[in-house]
Amino acid sequence: MQIEQLIENIRDPLYRTKFVNVPDIIADWLSDSGGLHKKDVLEFGCGEGTMALGVALRKEAQRVVGVEILDVHEQCRTLAQSQLGVRELPRNLFLRKIAPGADLTEFGAFDVAYSWSVFEHVAQDMLPQAMTSVFNALKPGGHFFLQIDPLYYSPNGSHMMPWLVEPWAHLTMQADTFRRRLFEAPETPAKVRNEWAVYIPLNAATADERKTLWETYDTLNRMTAPQLRRLAESAGFEVIRDYRTTAEREIPLNLLEAYDREALLTEQIVLLLRKPATA
Ligand SMILES: C[S@@+](CC[C@H](N)C(=O)[O-])C[C@H]1O[C@@H](n2cnc3c(N)ncnc32)[C@H](O)[C@@H]1O
């Protein structure tokens, strides 16, 4: 079946975003440095593997290896069957469970690595190891596309906006109030549950859902944009491009007195990194 026909089958807009839009953005960012076509590609933190599948099928990568610390990648085939109508995953796609911080060189050497909405979830004590594991798995001259959105100190940085809508709620409220508000929030709409399917099974009870949401919030590593850049440079990467987007919001005075303005407003960072050709 032609790829365009597969895309027409997609009913879930989030699946479309992951299968079509995100791979397109990554390919676009890599357009001056060799792209994804026929490349060996690593996805760090692949979730259920839809983006990796999009890169494998639509960008015709030589090989895509998606690594993930949860079992969620096992859902890739079922989702691809229901959304795209394909029976089997392509032979150039490999989804593998890893231990946090694992050496990735066992999967070979890669031309390109990418990571989408993952590095804010990597445990603080694993961050240098995680960054170095990607660096080591790249070929000299290889590229790493790295995106985080939202950053912790930004208005929606708690990742809990569907339940606590106030901007910076996590920085302004007492921790126990924030937790209680999260647990007492109204039932989660189906669309939001779908967006959280990486972490929360669709049939999970509300109590389990809230427990997982709290855990997800509580384990955010509080990374800032300059800190991510330093982490990448310390691992040996050169920064080719550094793109940040900022929120347009008035900052409450008490927050301005306590935190850095730029950290409070920077919502997203996208880095294009290169492993030096001589490394
Ligand atoms: C918000 S999800 C994003 C998943 C996928 N990139 C997407 O956008 O659909 C974050 C993912 O990062 C994974 N993750 C967290 N720490 C990790 C680590 N140390 N190594 C690899 N993956 C990790 C989580 O298990 C989770 O699947």
Side-chain angles (χ1 to χ4, degrees):
M1 214 188 293
Q2 293 292 313
I3 291 289
E4 291 314 315
Q5 277 176 282
L6 294 181
I7 292 172
E8 275 178 30
N9 292 339
I10 299 175
R11 291 290 161 262
D12 176 357
L14 180 63
Y15 195 92
R16 180 185 297 269
T17 300
K18 292 188 180 191
F19 186 73
V20 179
N21 304 91
V22 176
D24 283 357
I25 292 169
I26 296 170
D28 190 42
W29 269 66
L30 291 162
S31 57
D32 289 340
S33 38
L36 292 164
H37 189 71
K38 300 280 175 226
K39 293 292 189 309
D40 266 329
V41 181
L42 172 71
E43 178 172 352
F44 184 81
C46 65
E48 81 293 333
T50 307
M51 293 174 199
L53 178 61
V55 173
L57 281 179
R58 297 186 50 253
K59 302 302 174 190
E60 297 176 343
Q62 173 73 25
R63 180 174 73 114
V64 183
V65 178
V67 296
E68 174 51 61
I69 59 171
L70 301 175
D71 291 320
V72 60
H73 65 279
E74 290 170 2
Q75 297 172 15
C76 189
R77 185 159 157 263
T78 313
L79 283 170
Q81 276 174 342
S82 69
Q83 291 297 321
L84 301 172
V86 296
R87 284 218 203 105
E88 297 297 334
L89 295 178
R91 288 151 68 117
N92 60 344
L93 176 67
F94 305 85
L95 301 178
R96 298 287 181 264
K97 187 171 181 181
I98 56 163
D103 176 9
L104 303 175
T105 57
E106 68 166 285
F107 301 115
F110 296 89
D111 303 294
V112 173
Y114 67 90
S115 166
W116 187 272
S117 293
V118 172
F119 259 78
E120 74 272 37
H121 298 283
V122 173
Q124 281 181 349
D125 60 353
M126 282 290 158
L127 278 169
Q129 211 173 319
M131 187 66 82
T132 301
S133 72
V134 176
F135 183 87
N136 289 342
L138 282 170
K139 297 174 188 171
H143 288 79
F144 183 22
F145 170 100
L146 173 46
Q147 181 266 17
I148 297 181
D149 182 18
L151 286 157
Y152 182 81
Y153 292 96
S154 66
N156 297 328
S158 69
H159 289 55
M160 299 295 125
M161 308 76 78
W163 301 273
L164 282 102
V165 293
E166 298 97 317
W168 296 287
H170 58 307
L171 301 184
T172 49
M173 279 180 200
Q174 279 182 209
D176 59 335
T177 309
F178 183 84
R179 188 174 193 278
R180 184 173 45 75
R181 288 272 308 274
L182 177 64
F183 277 78
E184 289 176 2
E187 199 178 325
T188 308
K191 179 175 171 288
V192 177
R193 276 301 282 267
N194 189 38
E195 287 164 7
W196 277 79
V198 167
Y199 290 108
I200 305 171
L202 288 174
N203 58 0
T206 305
D208 295 331
E209 176 208 273
R210 298 300 151 105
K211 196 166 157 270
T212 307
L213 288 173
W214 173 256
E215 246 173 56
T216 306
Y217 164 70
D218 206 25
T219 53
L220 289 170
N221 59 27
R222 307 184 180 209
M223 176 78 75
T224 64
Q227 190 186 353
L228 183 70
R229 188 180 167 129
R230 273 197 307 279
L231 185 75
E233 288 174 330
S234 305
F237 282 111
E238 298 166 350
V239 178
I240 305 297
R241 199 169 154 194
D242 178 337
Y243 173 76
R244 304 178 193 189
T245 54
T246 50
E248 291 196 10
R249 276 189 184 274
E250 198 172 323
I251 306 173
L253 181 61
N254 55 344
L255 279 183
L256 255 187
E257 287 164 348
Y259 297 98
D260 175 65
R261 170 185 281 275
E262 209 168 310
L264 289 169
L265 292 179
T266 309
E267 285 182 313
Q268 176 184 219
I269 177 162
V270 188
L271 294 177
L272 183 60
L273 307 168
R274 182 171 56 203
K275 177 170 175 168
T278 50

